[in-house]
């Protein structure tokens, strides 16, 4: 058996230690004679799995008691509809900050349900490769103090743009507007102050676990402003009151996510993950910046630590680059089809050794093609 260095943006690499534990427990979980996939979600065995997963996630992110943690399905794209259906029942105004492909998708979906204002956008037509390379300055955000919520994408997985400072909504005169953030591709990559957010959502397959699970962390006072047409299985209050078991939850994905949470705790928690993620990103960006062949266009202060898009200045070398990478066991480096080029995703499960292997290849390939 051999494990390659996998730079996929999602479904992404998972800790081998966790996958081995799952393999050991596959046929007979803790002596109960069945796989986690085969047990009732209402039985005491799965009850203990989901309870532990929630407790560990709360501990890692220090989630305050007045927030519900929900295990849902549908991914982040479904949340683009589920969030407005839950929050726009009383007042249908929502403001967005546009910083890349994923916030654009969220905007388009919300336009089906509400009065959407794009309060600021960093789209830049003059950039040839990828149209988003920055975050609009907060001073230019045209926010409405009567919006039901303000939505932004914490880490643009395709464009490689990440927020490292969250807006001070009080100072912007919109202190009452809940902040909703799509954290799909950087949740658990560093500590955050959950109390600053009204709602956080994240599809699991980037930095948490397998596809099929969506995590929602929502302040409990926001559970009661749903649109009457909001489907019951996606109604946050209904899901919260039923402890994520109104419908059958994605049990195996929750189990694996739970093992990942325990693995993160063994690594030293989110402060330790942040240190490692800073070191990994620094190494990779430094290599790109000191090269004549590779280029990343994103403004330095908002460069994503999780997703590093880059381009070869000579794009005719793209296929050769990818073939050489694959031959060395460096997989899934092709950029998203909408922007082209390359992308290295270096989530929690990617150790610095994997980034070293990539950097060695980058340098060697450049020497060969100088
Ligand atoms: C991957 C991703 C999505 C889409 O997730 P799905 O699981 O395909 O619905 C949305 N937002 C961000 C930031 C992502 O990285």
């Amino acid at each position: 058996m051999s494990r390659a260095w996998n730079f996929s943006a999602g479904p992404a690499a998972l800790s081998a230690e966790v996958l081995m534990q799952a393999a050991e427990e596959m046929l007979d979980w803790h002596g109960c004679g069945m796989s986690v996939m085969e047990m009732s979600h209402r039985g005491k065995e799965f009850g203990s799995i989901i309870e532990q997963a929630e407790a560990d996630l709360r501990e890692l992110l220090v989630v305050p008691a007045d927030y519900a943690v929900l295990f849902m399905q549908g991914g982040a794209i479904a949340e683009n509809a589920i969030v407005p259906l839950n929050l726009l029942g009383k007042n249908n105004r929502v403001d967005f900050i546009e910083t890349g492909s994923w916030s654009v998708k969220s905007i388009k979906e919300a336009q089906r349900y509400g009065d959407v204002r794009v309060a600021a956008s960093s789209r830049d037509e003059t950039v040839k490769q990828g149209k988003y390379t920055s975050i609009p300055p907060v001073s230019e955000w045209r926010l409405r103090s009567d919006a039901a919520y303000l939505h932004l994408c914490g880490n643009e997985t395709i464009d490689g743009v990440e927020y490292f400072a969250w807006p001070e909504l009080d100072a912007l005169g919109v202190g009452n507007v809940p902040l909703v953030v799509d954290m799909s591709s950087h949740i658990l990559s560093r500590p955050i102050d959950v109390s600053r957010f009204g709602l956080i959502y994240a599809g699991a397959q980037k930095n948490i676990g397998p596809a099929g699970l969506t995590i929602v962390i929502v302040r409990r006072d926001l559970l009661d402003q749903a649109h009457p047409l909001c489907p019951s299985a996606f109604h946050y209050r209904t899901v919260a009151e039923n402890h994520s078991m109104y419908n059958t939850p994605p049990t195996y994905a929750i189990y694996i996510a739970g093992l990942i949470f325990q693995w993160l705790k063994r690594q030293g928690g989110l402060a330790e993950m942040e240190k490692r993620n800073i070191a990994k990103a620094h190494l990779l960006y430094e290599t790109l910046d000191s090269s004549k062949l590779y280029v990343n266009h994103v403004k330095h202060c908002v460069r994503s630590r999780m997703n590093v898009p880059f381009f070869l200045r000579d794009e005719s070398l793209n296929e050769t680059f990818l073939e050489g990478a694959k031959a060395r066991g460096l997989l899934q480096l092709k950029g998203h089809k909408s922007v082209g080029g390359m992308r290295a995703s270096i989530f929690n499960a990617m150790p610095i050794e994997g980034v070293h292997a990539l950097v060695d290849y980058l340098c060697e390939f450049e020497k060969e093609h100088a």
Side-chain angles (χ1 to χ4, degrees), residues 76-93:
I77 291 182
E79 286 304 319
N80 286 341
I82 296 168
V83 171
L85 280 165
N86 274 280
L87 300 187
L88 295 181
K90 290 175 190 152
N91 158 8
N92 79 339
R93 281 177 290 279

Side-chain angles (χ1 to χ4, degrees), residues 9-10 74-80 101-103 105-106 153-158 182-186 201-206 211-214 307 343 347:
I77 291 182
E79 286 304 319
N80 286 341
S101 315
W102 287 115
S103 45
K105 267 226 160 79
S106 301
C153 177
N155 182 57
E156 291 279 4
T157 320
I158 294 173
D182 175 357
M183 291 197 191
S184 293
S185 51
H186 70 161
Y201 66 85
Q205 74 274 21
K206 282 47 185 290
L213 167 66
T214 320
N307 310 98
R343 174 174 51 172
F347 297 115

Side-chain angles (χ1 to χ4, degrees), residues 8 71 84 95 109 121 144 157 237 293 300 325:
S8 169
F71 295 105
D95 289 350
E109 186 69 13
S121 169
R144 295 179 288 191
T157 320
R237 166 149 313 273
L293 178 60
H300 287 217

Side-chain angles (χ1 to χ4, degrees), residues 103-130:
S103 45
V104 166
K105 267 226 160 79
S106 301
I107 290 164
K108 288 200 175 129
E109 186 69 13
Q111 280 167 340
R112 305 179 60 202
Y113 306 100
D115 161 9
V116 168
R117 174 190 279 186
V118 177
S121 169
S122 59
R123 188 176 173 86
D124 182 353
E125 294 300 338
T126 67
V127 185
K128 276 206 291 297
Q129 296 161 314

Side-chain angles (χ1 to χ4, degrees), residues 190-370:
R190 55 179 155 116
I192 50 167
D193 176 0
V194 173
S195 71
R196 300 193 52 167
F197 305 94
L199 187 150
I200 293 165
Y201 66 85
Q205 74 274 21
K206 282 47 185 290
N207 208 23
I208 301 176
L213 167 66
T214 320
I215 290 190
V216 175
I217 301 170
V218 53
R219 214 171 59 212
R220 290 186 196 274
D221 65 296
L222 298 175
L223 294 175
D224 293 309
Q225 54 190 68
H227 188 279
L229 284 176
C230 180
S232 309
F234 296 140
H235 192 298
Y236 292 143
R237 166 149 313 273
T238 304
V239 179
E241 282 178 350
N242 288 278
H243 305 286
S244 301
M245 301 225 200
Y246 175 77
N247 58 344
T248 312
T251 51
Y252 198 76
I254 292 170
Y255 156 73
I256 298 285
L259 296 185
I260 301 279
F261 300 152
Q262 300 226 324
W263 175 78
L264 286 171
K265 283 169 59 177
R266 290 198 298 278
Q267 305 305 302
L270 302 192
E272 173 62 23
M273 293 325 291
E274 178 173 39
K275 262 195 233 157
R276 294 184 196 177
N277 288 329
I278 288 173
K280 281 151 50 187
H282 183 74
L283 174 61
L284 185 46
Y285 283 116
E286 203 174 44
T287 306
L288 297 174
D289 289 345
S290 59
S291 118
K292 292 194 174 67
L293 178 60
Y294 313 106
V295 59
N296 165 289
H297 300 291
V298 179
K299 259 176 97 173
H300 287 217
C301 57
V302 294
R303 280 173 158 184
S304 171
R305 285 181 197 147
M306 299 280 102
N307 310 98
V308 182
F310 62 94
F311 299 90
L312 273 59
R313 289 189 198 269
D314 177 359
E315 295 218 273
S316 71
L317 291 173
N318 282 358
E319 279 313 308
T320 319
F321 176 87
L322 287 168
E323 277 164 25
K326 195 172 171 195
R328 286 178 160 232
L330 305 169
L331 302 187
Q332 311 207 66
L333 282 164
K334 192 174 181 156
H336 191 269
K337 61 183 187 306
S338 63
V339 290
M342 308 297 156
R343 174 174 51 172
S345 295
I346 47 176
F347 297 115
N348 284 343
M350 174 64 67
I352 190 124
E353 290 78 13
V355 182
H356 276 295
L358 174 59
V359 160
D360 288 348
Y361 175 61
L362 288 168
C363 296
E364 224 171 88
F365 186 87
E366 177 163 8
K367 258 192 225 137
E368 263 171 44
H369 295 88

